[in-house]
Amino acid sequence: MSDNSGFFERVYKVCQQIPEGRVTSYGAIAKYLGAAKSARMVGWAMNSSKNMDVPAHRVVNRNGILTGKSHFGGSNAMQQLLEEEGVKVKDLQIVDFEKYFWDPMKELSE
């Protein structure tokens, strides 16, 4: 298995720039990094970010569903963190996803 640490570090740098109260998707991060088909690897990076200063709760799937919630101990912690930032969540899905969506392709320039 290859060493993914360089890719993971790039994912973390993008994730750390997601503003409070906004969310992005695994695929949007992958696309920004020039690896459009690597959304799953972004998910692995988020799973490996425990005990790091990475706001992984702000990364959801392309439909705004909190698919990463299992990485928060199976609790509602991911939803609670988002709601504390003003993001509306219902049935584990972001309400008005487009309103909260932060697109790194538009917001960042490498």
Side-chain angles (χ1 to χ4, degrees), residues 8 22 43 45-46 56 58 64 97 107:
F8 283 17
R22 303 287 300 278
M46 293 295 92
R58 296 181 188 147
F97 182 50
E107 304 291 340

Side-chain angles (χ1 to χ4, degrees), residues 83-98:
E83 288 175 339
E84 286 171 11
E85 295 181 2
V87 177
K88 291 185 176 33
V89 179
K90 182 177 181 186
D91 298 325
L92 300 175
Q93 185 167 11
I94 306 292
V95 177
D96 256 345
F97 182 50
E98 300 80 24

Side-chain angles (χ1 to χ4, degrees), residues 3-24:
D3 179 18
N4 295 319
S5 62
F7 182 79
F8 283 17
E9 286 303 316
R10 293 174 63 212
V11 168
Y12 300 150
K13 285 181 183 177
V14 173
C15 190
Q16 288 167 331
Q17 296 179 70
I18 304 167
E20 187 174 311
R22 303 287 300 278
V23 295
T24 196

Side-chain angles (χ1 to χ4, degrees), residues 44-55:
W44 294 338
M46 293 295 92
N47 189 38
S48 297
S49 70
K50 293 175 183 150
N51 304 318
M52 299 174 117
D53 186 25
V54 176

Side-chain angles (χ1 to χ4, degrees), residues 64-95:
I65 298 172
L66 310 188
T67 53
K69 67 179 175 47
S70 62
H71 306 301
F72 288 84
S75 67
N76 289 328
M78 184 176 187
Q79 180 170 335
Q80 289 172 339
L81 289 167
L82 288 168
E83 288 175 339
E84 286 171 11
E85 295 181 2
V87 177
K88 291 185 176 33
V89 179
K90 182 177 181 186
D91 298 325
L92 300 175
Q93 185 167 11
I94 306 292
V95 177

